[in-house]
Amino acid sequence: MTGRFAPSPSGRMHLGNLWSCLLAWLAARSAGGGMVLRLEDLDPDRCRQEYCDQVMRDLEWLGLDWDGRPVYQSRRTEAYAWAFQTLEKQGRIYPCFCTRAERLAASAPHRSDGTAVYDGRCGRLSPAEREALFKVRRPAWRVRVPDEEISFPDRLQGYFSEQLARDCGDFILRRSDGVYAYQLAVVVDDACMGVTQVVRGSDLLSSTPRQLWLQEQLSLPHPEYGHLPLLLAPDGRRLAKRDRDLELGQLQGQYTAPELVGRLACAARLIDRPQAITPHELIPLFSWEKLPKEDMTISV
Ligand code: GLU
């Protein structure tokens, strides 16, 4: 069994990232499993080496460790190119000349970003229309999804299913600037890194059917999934990198690492009171059955 951390180093981690990292680590370590680290630094406009270094220092500060060397997505272009070409040979990929949404594609998507289901219009262009458009614009590349229902048992959310064509639509695998998209990279990397258990926020629940389907097309194994409820700011908002007050740099001024871990562990219902505790001390206390299923507000 191998779990993973997959932070996006586009700034300092916030409480929501720490929540996912702590619980992913506990789920793996309590089952005697390995834990690997992948820095999802695909987007050169948003990610920097110094953020990657900071993420690793922050995980260490919290008391979370990982096995082996960290994997940087920015250095794995060849592996993504292999997957892309495999799908291309299967005749599933087409250029998309539409201008919107291309830039978002390489970031971890969130349902609240209002990403629309693409209607597949560029997939219906004639060869002549395509030729003409190639002369004026560099396209993004989409994969054509079938009219197929994908469902899977989630460790926390129960069965989740999506009708790919209706609920998701043809999605971007490569942006017009050549950067491979999150959905493709995550599937290739989870397989290459031997990840068998994915624990992450439920904002990514709706990405999972796409990832399961891509794994199928690329003959890669399916990990098991557990999607955590989200932590919300006291006013009910989703936590985001712009919430500076819930960012680790600020939190470190208020709490020691065991105090912060204790607050998260209490929210996870692994302990009754928010007392100081280390991740190692929590290992025997972890169980999937204890974890809450609903999003919750947390005040720190
Ligand atoms: N990099 C993503 C994030 O920080 C997580 C991706 C994943 O767990 O698949 O939100």
Side-chain angles (χ1 to χ4, degrees):
M1 213 280 270
T2 300
R4 43 89 145 172
F5 299 121
S8 299
S10 58
R12 202 74 196 265
M13 291 212 275
H14 59 65
L15 204 59
N17 307 130
L18 303 178
W19 165 253
S20 309
C21 286
L22 175 64
L23 292 172
W25 186 88
L26 285 172
R29 296 302 196 205
S30 67
M35 193 70 191
V36 291
L37 169 63
R38 173 167 78 240
L39 295 148
E40 303 213 320
D41 59 346
L42 270 178
D43 190 340
D45 300 336
R46 294 173 58 218
C47 300
R48 299 206 207 121
Q49 181 62 43
E50 65 201 76
Y51 293 150
C52 293
D53 296 342
Q54 185 68 57
V55 162
M56 291 188 271
R57 279 199 297 275
D58 288 346
L59 290 171
E60 280 165 0
W61 178 81
L62 217 56
L64 302 177
D65 63 349
W66 58 91
D67 308 317
R69 284 167 170 271
V71 168
Y72 291 82
Q73 288 194 322
S74 58
R75 303 179 193 167
R76 295 201 21 89
T77 309
E78 277 177 33
Y80 310 143
W82 161 81
F84 186 87
Q85 282 153 18
T86 303
L87 293 161
E88 202 167 37
K89 281 185 207 134
Q90 294 170 1
R92 296 183 194 279
I93 291 184
Y94 64 85
C96 174
F97 300 92
C98 300
T99 50
R100 282 188 55 229
E102 292 168 5
R103 296 199 62 80
L104 272 175
S107 337
H110 298 285
R111 274 190 287 181
S112 66
D113 73 3
T115 311
V117 174
Y118 184 63
D119 65 5
R121 71 182 60 180
C122 283
R124 295 187 291 271
L125 294 174
S126 69
E129 286 169 322
R130 233 171 239 182
E131 258 337 283
L133 280 163
F134 266 120
K135 293 198 180 101
V136 289
R137 208 174 292 157
R138 270 227 310 236
W141 298 85
R142 285 186 191 268
V143 65
R144 204 185 301 271
V145 296
D147 197 6
E148 203 177 289
E149 175 103 10
I150 305 278
S151 53
F152 71 99
D154 187 86
R155 289 228 56 162
L156 284 167
Q157 312 292 332
Y159 265 89
F160 182 79
S161 65
E162 226 178 53
Q163 220 286 341
L164 281 183
R166 187 195 60 210
D167 302 330
C168 155
D170 299 345
F171 56 97
I172 292 184
L173 290 186
R174 198 173 185 193
R175 302 195 319 199
S176 59
D177 61 3
V179 174
Y180 289 100
Y182 160 76
Q183 304 291 354
L184 184 74
V186 80
V187 157
V188 171
D189 288 341
D190 281 339
C192 288
M193 296 170 79
V195 170
T196 58
Q197 184 182 70
V198 173
V199 178
R200 58 188 178 189
S202 60
D203 51 334
L204 290 164
L205 185 62
S206 66
S207 284
T208 309
R210 268 173 276 184
Q211 294 174 10
L212 288 164
W213 179 76
L214 282 175
Q215 286 154 8
E216 204 73 50
Q217 308 320 306
L218 296 167
S219 306
L220 301 175
H222 300 307
E224 68 162 346
Y225 291 90
H227 286 87
L228 302 164
L230 302 180
L231 291 186
L232 307 172
D235 61 3
R237 272 174 312 126
R238 284 265 286 279
L239 299 182
K241 296 231 155 109
R242 60 181 177 276
D243 295 323
R244 300 236 162 253
D245 47 337
L246 296 172
E247 181 180 80
L248 193 50
Q250 287 295 322
L251 295 169
Q252 281 176 334
Q254 285 167 266
Y255 300 105
T256 63
E259 282 168 352
L260 196 55
V261 168
R263 293 196 164 251
L264 291 168
C266 183
R269 305 201 185 133
L270 301 178
I271 53 176
D272 300 333
R273 288 179 306 108
Q275 85 228 32
I277 193 162
T278 65
H280 273 96
E281 287 164 343
L282 281 169
I283 292 176
L285 303 178
F286 178 85
S287 97
W288 284 101
E289 285 66 42
K290 291 181 188 165
L291 300 185
K293 296 187 169 52
E294 308 284 325
D295 294 353
M296 78 196 92
T297 58
I298 183 164
S299 49
V300 286

